[in-house]
Amino acid sequence: MLESFRFLEFNFPWRSYQANLLKHFNTHIEDNHFHVIAPPGSGKTILGIEIIRKLNKKTLVLAPTLTIRNQWENRLQTFFTRDEDFEPFSFDLKAPKDITFSTYQSLHAFYKTFEDKNDYYAFFKKHNIQTLVLDEAHHLKNAWWTCLIDLKENIPFHLVALTATPPYDSDRTEVAKYFKLCGDIDDEIAVPDLVRETDLCPHQDFVYFSKPEDLEINFIVEYRKKIATFNDELIEDEAFISFLKAHRFYKSPKYHLEAIYSNTEYFSAILIFLNACGISIEKEKLELLGFEGDETIQFPELQLEWLGVLFQNLLVSDRELLIDHEVYLMRLEKKLRQLDVFRKRKVDFIGENLLYKSLSNSPSKLKSIVDIVKAERENLKEDLRCVILTDYIRKEFLNSQKELINSIGVMPIFQFIRSSCSHKEDLAVLSGSLVIVHKSVLEPFNKIESCDSFSFSPLEIDADFLVVSSKIKTKNSIVSIITKLFEDGDIKVLVGTKSLLGEGWDAPSINSLILASFIGSFVSSNQMRGRAIRKDADKPDKTGNIWHLACVDITDASGGRDVEVLKRRFDAFVGVTNNDVPFISNGIDRLNFPEHFLEEDIDVLNEVTLKRAKDRGETTKKWEDSIGKGTRLTKDVRLFYIGDKPFTRQRQLYYFDAIRFFVVELMLAISVFYVEFILRGINLVVQRGVLYFIYAFLAAFLFSFGLKLYRAITLYVKHGYLYKKIQNMGLSILDTMVELNYITTNKEALIVTSSLVNKGDVSCSLLGGNAYESAVFSKALSEIINPINSPRYLIIKSSFFRKRLDIENFYPVPEIFGDKKAKALVFQKHWNTHIGKSKLFYTRHKEGRRLLLKARLAHVHNAFKKVSKEVMVWK
């Protein structure tokens, strides 16, 4: 042990969730990685210091900001030393000691000073630094990654990564880089653990919906009309149809199979468009792609998504190979630019970015904020501590009347609250370049720091408010002064930017948080949300309300892009459901919003939401009831029921279709084939009696129709008990994980559960495993049941029943088992045991590529449907 580490010891008892995480540390660090997810308030820093102590190596700790860097040293001296401070630490990367605290920016700047990177590696070897700790590791999506991965690939390290939210919503390349550096997730501290231990307060998320302004609605309607007209005209456009029929993929597919295999979406879009035009696709083309003579493809409708795929390739990806048609393509491009669907080499017929930009910044959300502040003030009165976070300051509205405001930001929010709410003296603004307070707080302000050190300029539009600026450097920064005024209740409603207050800022008294931020990932959303769920030592009964805003596109049944973005962000939030019998889960489904939004329902939804938000005692009770029902967060894989009819009705139809088919066939057979049997049976009756005749008839019946009867019954049972099939898939995955040593938990403690939930969805999960095992299991199952992408191996088993039940006949071997044939064969063995016999195909050979294309085309109707999702549930 390093001599200096002998005197480090945690001075307090470990929380149960912290002790449990540390108990498994030795197992997780065997691969030299320890990657932990821990929410704000869980003591990540303290856990990190304990891990440093356990590893007993010279350590470099990296943080995203100087504030967080300094917190590490503070926690070290406060919680791990007794009689004297720990001396061998450094803040200087160039002069490291036993523990060096620095920032990612500093390391990146240090890295750039070395022309010869061998000198960079030699520096760390010379100083014998053997442990790297990456705090708030989700920040590693940018250039800081380079100097770290370079170091990791050239020097062996123990690497400890700590984060509240992995960057799952970044693009695949960034996510891959993140996990390449940090390793797979080893363990996770769950929010319910912290609420149970009172380290976080009970809390609930609420969504307040708004309707677009008339101008926004007209813009959306006109946009959709233009696209619909273009679509209708295109289907009748003989020139475009002829152009596609002459495309090399359609005209001569057998000469372009490799290109088709590598871009099946493009080829699918061509076929789907031509099919929508009434063009019959020749069987020879389909046979070339692997379909038998009597097989057909059920082409989906020509959705705008398919039109987008088609034109993205025609105008961008495939354009160089269509150079002979450049004049025609230029005309198409011009038309799309006029429609506002082609910008920056990106085709978008849905209008996601165009319409989202309009709705996400809709002034209607300013009215939502006013409604929320009024309701929270009426409910909490003097106890209100509300923070509103947004993206931009928008100083141009510093002295604007609210009627002139047409976008959202710090100043628009301030102006709406100032002019619409009572108790305006409670209001203040805190951002990096603009601070505004009410004149009534000058006296308590002066008690914290002399007002003589600041200048206070009256706001032109309302002299009761003062713009604050510092004259000289003071002991307390303006941020700490405003924070103290907020904590003391002199300020009750604080409007600020997420860049200043979203991460690292600490004000435990916050009991109402309004997230008016619409850019950035759910990483930043979760960080902002963490401000409101911290416990308040002065108010142990605190509950936190977190408010989210969404402007509903009333021309879209699903609510539009703004609602969709909010739904995705909710995947990162764990909380209690609104059910009568609550449980803890992630995702927006826990709030029980309707799948389809009607304009007339929005006001009713908001009234119900405000009523629920008022009953904070019920929020506390739901957490208490829900926490007792489980012990840990487990990943569920949800397979959505996506039939055209309700699940129960669809199952009845399959049942009655099967029975009706069987009865009709039976009657026809009796009338045709059994006439002779019955005529001959007269002799049997005469010679051997009626009983013998009946036995003979039943034997003939069972011989001819017993199998059909069995299949008809099986058809219904299989559709009604699809969750059993999913469970068998899960068992195949689990047995493969065990055989390939992906499991460290005793297999006897592991259970694969599957059940029907909601209105026909299937839920499947692995119980009893650790976070890593649960993540591997759910990822593998999701890959199997989702539309096929590009697996290295396919498992194929076709039958009449699977086609009739619309269950995939082609299954990808999950990526974790598909990197080597030996692993794929192990998976196939267990698949055969639990599912039935199958064939394994390698998709990188010609035959395998053909089958892969067939697999995609056979189920092309699922391409833009959300087939499944992973859900965190406390069990």
Side-chain angles (χ1 to χ4, degrees):
M1 175 175 283
L2 288 173
E3 183 65 25
S4 60
F5 282 21
R6 291 177 51 214
F7 303 101
L8 293 178
E9 185 176 0
F10 187 55
N11 296 331
F12 303 94
W14 291 107
R15 296 286 192 182
S16 59
Y17 56 83
Q18 295 170 331
N20 190 54
L21 182 142
L22 292 170
K23 182 173 69 175
H24 300 290
F25 168 72
N26 289 334
T27 301
H28 292 313
I29 201 64
E30 286 178 356
D31 65 351
N32 294 328
H33 292 82
F34 189 49
H35 187 181
V36 176
I37 301 174
S42 59
K44 282 199 307 292
T45 307
I46 290 172
L47 284 168
I49 295 169
E50 176 65 12
I51 291 166
I52 291 170
R53 193 187 70 81
K54 283 178 173 290
L55 288 172
N56 191 32
K57 308 287 185 184
K58 281 194 171 182
T59 301
L60 172 62
V61 178
L62 295 169
T65 66
L66 289 173
T67 301
I68 297 175
R69 181 204 70 174
N70 295 341
Q71 285 175 1
W72 275 82
E73 190 267 338
N74 176 268
R75 300 295 190 273
L76 172 69
Q77 308 293 7
T78 304
F79 293 98
F80 285 84
T81 62
R82 290 185 183 274
D83 300 327
E84 56 185 32
D85 284 351
F86 181 83
E87 294 294 339
F89 79 89
S90 172
F91 286 136
D92 185 357
L93 187 57
K94 297 177 182 178
K97 293 187 179 179
D98 288 356
I99 303 179
T100 304
F101 304 104
S102 190
T103 64
Y104 295 114
Q105 298 99 312
S106 296
L107 180 65
H108 187 241
F110 184 60
Y111 175 75
K112 290 193 295 185
T113 63
F114 292 92
E115 291 186 12
D116 184 348
K117 300 309 176 190
N118 288 317
D119 294 335
Y120 174 65
Y121 316 139
F123 176 86
F124 288 90
K125 290 179 181 177
K126 174 185 175 182
H127 291 281
N128 200 29
I129 296 173
Q130 298 180 53
T131 298
L132 276 178
V133 178
L134 310 180
D135 191 22
E136 304 291 0
H138 54 266
H139 284 284
L140 291 169
K141 292 183 294 179
N142 53 28
W144 298 338
W145 179 87
T146 306
C147 56
L148 282 166
I149 199 66
D150 196 9
L151 193 59
K152 178 185 174 182
E153 288 178 344
N154 288 277
I155 302 178
F157 280 103
H158 288 304
L159 195 144
V160 179
L162 307 170
T163 183
T165 311
Y168 290 125
D169 63 339
S170 300
D171 65 63
R172 293 179 63 182
T173 303
E174 295 291 344
V175 172
K177 285 164 58 175
Y178 172 84
F179 283 103
K180 179 181 179 182
L181 177 64
C182 299
D184 293 320
I185 294 168
D186 291 297
D187 216 333
E188 180 172 1
I189 295 175
V191 167
D193 286 319
L194 276 75
V195 176
R196 179 171 54 197
E197 298 279 358
T198 69
D199 287 333
L200 293 181
C201 71
H203 53 277
Q204 182 58 296
D205 294 279
F206 299 96
V207 179
Y208 202 89
F209 296 102
S210 62
K211 290 176 277 191
E213 306 284 314
D214 289 342
L215 192 64
E216 294 168 325
I217 293 173
N218 293 338
F219 175 73
I220 293 169
V221 170
E222 285 302 314
Y223 178 82
R224 301 227 187 273
K225 281 182 180 178
K226 288 191 299 181
I227 300 302
T229 300
F230 173 79
N231 189 37
D232 293 342
E233 291 175 350
L234 196 66
I235 290 176
E236 302 294 331
D237 188 338
E238 291 296 333
F240 187 71
I241 293 171
S242 298
F243 168 66
L244 282 188
K245 290 173 74 174
H247 192 285
R248 65 189 187 282
F249 281 8
Y250 186 80
K251 185 177 181 180
S252 310
K254 66 180 180 180
Y255 297 111
H256 303 282
L257 286 178
E258 286 303 316
I260 290 173
Y261 293 157
S262 63
N263 194 351
T264 54
E265 269 198 333
Y266 185 19
F267 183 60
S268 301
I270 293 173
L271 297 183
I272 291 165
F273 182 86
L274 292 175
N275 179 72
C277 297
I279 306 298
S280 178
I281 310 299
E282 296 97 324
K283 285 188 176 181
E284 292 77 10
K285 288 184 170 60
L286 300 179
E287 288 173 356
L288 184 69
L289 302 174
F291 291 89
E292 304 293 336
D294 58 347
E295 283 187 276
T296 57
I297 301 177
Q298 294 182 348
F299 287 102
E301 294 182 3
L302 179 61
Q303 299 169 305
L304 292 179
E305 289 91 346
W306 284 117
L307 206 59
V309 170
L310 181 59
F311 276 92
Q312 183 67 37
N313 280 276
L314 292 177
L315 297 183
V316 181
S317 306
D318 194 33
R319 193 152 180 170
E320 288 186 5
L321 296 177
L322 298 171
I323 192 67
D324 293 342
H325 304 276
E326 182 59 25
V327 174
Y328 182 62
L329 291 174
M330 282 296 293
R331 289 207 303 269
L332 290 175
E333 179 183 328
K334 183 179 179 181
K335 179 66 175 175
L336 264 58
R337 288 191 184 280
Q338 290 172 344
L339 291 170
D340 234 346
V341 299
F342 187 52
R343 290 183 176 185
K344 297 180 179 179
R345 294 172 58 81
K346 176 70 176 175
V347 176
D348 177 17
F349 284 98
I350 306 297
E352 284 194 343
N353 293 327
L354 186 67
L355 301 184
Y356 175 56
K357 185 177 180 180
S358 170
L359 296 181
S360 65
N361 286 287
S362 172
S364 65
K365 292 183 177 179
L366 296 168
K367 298 174 184 176
S368 297
I369 293 171
V370 168
D371 290 344
I372 295 167
V373 171
K374 284 182 176 178
E376 292 282 55
R377 173 71 189 192
E378 181 182 346
N379 184 30
L380 295 175
K381 298 180 172 55
E382 291 299 310
D383 290 332
L384 176 65
R385 300 292 186 275
C386 178
V387 172
I388 306 163
L389 295 179
T390 190
D391 299 304
Y392 304 110
I393 299 174
R394 302 207 187 279
K395 288 185 181 179
E396 63 269 26
F397 297 113
L398 185 64
N399 290 292
S400 297
Q401 298 288 348
K402 70 176 187 177
E403 292 78 15
L404 301 176
I405 295 173
N406 58 8
S407 61
I408 199 164
V410 170
M411 287 315 302
I413 294 169
F414 168 80
Q415 299 292 16
F416 261 69
I417 296 175
R418 179 190 63 79
S419 59
S420 304
C421 297
S422 58
H423 302 285
K424 68 178 185 178
E425 67 276 5
D426 295 343
L427 181 63
V429 166
L430 177 58
S431 68
S433 61
L434 181 64
V435 178
I436 301 174
V437 298
H438 192 269
K439 64 182 182 181
S440 62
V441 304
L442 286 181
E443 184 177 342
F445 188 110
N446 191 59
K447 291 179 180 179
I448 301 169
E449 186 77 38
S450 172
C451 288
D452 295 337
S453 302
F454 298 87
S455 63
F456 299 88
S457 307
L459 203 61
E460 183 180 312
I461 197 170
D462 188 339
D464 288 341
F465 284 93
L466 309 170
V467 178
V468 185
S469 57
S470 178
K471 295 178 182 177
I472 59 173
K473 188 175 181 179
T474 59
K475 183 179 72 174
N476 295 297
S477 70
I478 190 65
V479 174
S480 63
I481 295 170
I482 300 299
T483 302
K484 183 69 167 64
L485 291 171
F486 180 78
E487 290 284 283
D488 292 343
D490 299 298
I491 295 169
K492 295 182 178 64
V493 180
L494 184 60
V495 187
T497 53
K498 72 168 190 180
S499 58
L500 182 65
L501 306 180
E503 184 175 352
W505 181 65
D506 196 14
S509 65
I510 300 172
N511 51 28
S512 183
L513 175 68
I514 303 175
L515 296 177
S517 172
F518 314 108
I519 60 174
S521 63
F522 67 46
V523 170
S524 60
S525 299
N526 207 24
Q527 290 290 333
M528 288 187 287
R529 185 173 172 271
R531 305 306 101 204
I533 65 179
R534 291 183 180 273
K535 70 175 181 180
D536 185 353
D538 297 328
K539 293 187 177 177
D541 60 345
K542 169 190 165 181
T543 56
N545 284 355
I546 303 105
W547 292 91
H548 308 264
L549 309 176
C551 187
V552 178
D553 179 354
I554 58 177
T555 69
D556 186 337
S558 65
R561 166 80 169 167
D562 200 30
V563 174
E564 180 59 33
V565 169
L566 189 65
K567 287 180 179 178
R568 289 208 304 267
R569 287 185 175 184
F570 261 75
D571 288 341
F573 307 150
V574 174
V576 290
T577 64
N578 278 337
N579 303 23
D580 293 333
V581 182
F583 60 93
I584 298 169
S585 177
N586 70 331
I588 205 168
D589 292 343
R590 65 184 171 87
L591 300 184
N592 292 333
F593 289 129
E595 292 184 18
H596 302 296
F597 287 83
L598 300 175
E599 183 177 0
E600 56 269 24
D601 293 340
I602 293 175
D603 291 336
V604 176
L605 279 172
N606 288 336
E607 287 177 16
V608 172
T609 297
L610 289 175
K611 185 177 179 181
R612 280 186 175 141
K614 187 175 181 180
D615 193 353
R616 289 174 176 250
E618 180 66 13
T619 297
T620 300
K621 185 176 184 301
K622 283 184 175 181
W623 273 100
E624 291 173 349
D625 293 344
S626 300
I627 286 174
K629 296 174 184 176
T631 58
R632 67 180 304 148
L633 279 177
T634 301
K635 276 193 175 181
D636 269 12
V637 176
R638 295 280 172 89
L639 174 64
F640 299 129
Y641 171 71
I642 53 176
D644 296 329
K645 301 176 179 66
F647 173 74
T648 52
R649 174 64 179 153
Q650 189 70 30
R651 188 165 69 175
Q652 289 171 356
L653 287 175
Y654 274 114
Y655 171 71
F656 288 120
D657 282 351
I659 297 300
R660 185 165 57 245
F661 172 79
F662 172 72
V663 170
V664 169
E665 185 176 19
L666 175 61
M667 296 301 294
L668 181 63
I670 289 176
S671 64
V672 176
F673 300 108
Y674 277 78
V675 171
E676 184 179 355
F677 181 88
I678 292 172
L679 289 175
R680 290 180 178 179
I682 296 172
N683 292 328
L684 288 175
V685 173
V686 172
Q687 293 175 11
R688 302 194 181 187
V690 176
L691 191 60
Y692 185 85
F693 169 79
I694 293 173
Y695 286 155
F697 182 85
L698 288 175
F701 173 84
L702 290 174
F703 179 78
S704 300
F705 297 102
L707 182 60
K708 288 185 174 62
L709 177 61
Y710 168 76
R711 287 177 174 175
I713 294 171
T714 301
L715 186 63
Y716 173 70
V717 171
K718 278 193 174 184
H719 190 82
Y721 296 95
L722 176 60
Y723 68 91
K724 290 292 185 185
K725 185 180 189 67
I726 301 298
Q727 184 176 33
N728 287 335
M729 291 180 181
L731 290 170
S732 305
I733 294 168
L734 175 58
D735 286 349
T736 307
M737 290 173 66
V738 170
E739 184 168 341
L740 296 178
N741 296 318
Y742 289 115
I743 297 289
T744 56
T745 305
N746 188 331
K747 187 188 176 184
E748 302 303 317
L750 300 172
I751 302 173
V752 176
T753 66
S754 183
S755 60
L756 283 172
V757 294
N758 300 330
K759 300 177 181 178
D761 297 347
V762 176
S763 172
C764 185
S765 61
L766 177 67
L767 299 182
N770 58 41
Y772 171 74
E773 292 161 353
S774 177
V776 170
F777 176 88
S778 59
K779 184 174 185 290
L781 183 57
S782 295
E783 288 177 20
I784 291 174
I785 62 181
N786 281 331
I788 292 173
N789 187 16
S790 184
R792 291 171 63 85
Y793 288 94
L794 275 178
I795 278 184
I796 300 178
K797 183 178 182 183
S798 299
S799 72
F800 167 79
F801 304 111
R802 286 181 173 80
K803 292 178 183 177
R804 187 70 180 89
L805 295 174
D806 196 25
I807 298 174
E808 296 284 359
N809 302 303
F810 301 83
Y811 301 91
V813 173
E815 184 180 354
I816 195 168
F817 309 138
D819 57 338
K820 295 181 180 178
K821 185 176 182 180
K823 291 183 182 180
L825 288 170
V826 172
F827 177 71
Q828 185 195 19
K829 178 182 70 174
H830 294 297
W831 179 275
N832 290 347
T833 300
H834 294 288
I835 305 293
K837 290 184 178 180
S838 62
K839 292 183 179 180
L840 185 72
F841 288 90
Y842 181 59
T843 63
R844 300 306 188 254
H845 289 160
K846 186 174 182 180
E847 177 64 14
R849 297 293 286 182
R850 188 170 67 88
L851 288 169
L852 179 58
L853 177 59
K854 179 183 176 181
R856 289 172 172 174
L857 291 177
H859 300 278
V860 73
H861 55 278
N862 282 341
F864 297 109
K865 293 180 180 177
K866 193 170 184 179
V867 176
S868 73
K869 72 178 291 186
E870 295 181 14
V871 181
M872 300 297 297
V873 181
W874 181 254
K875 292 184 177 180

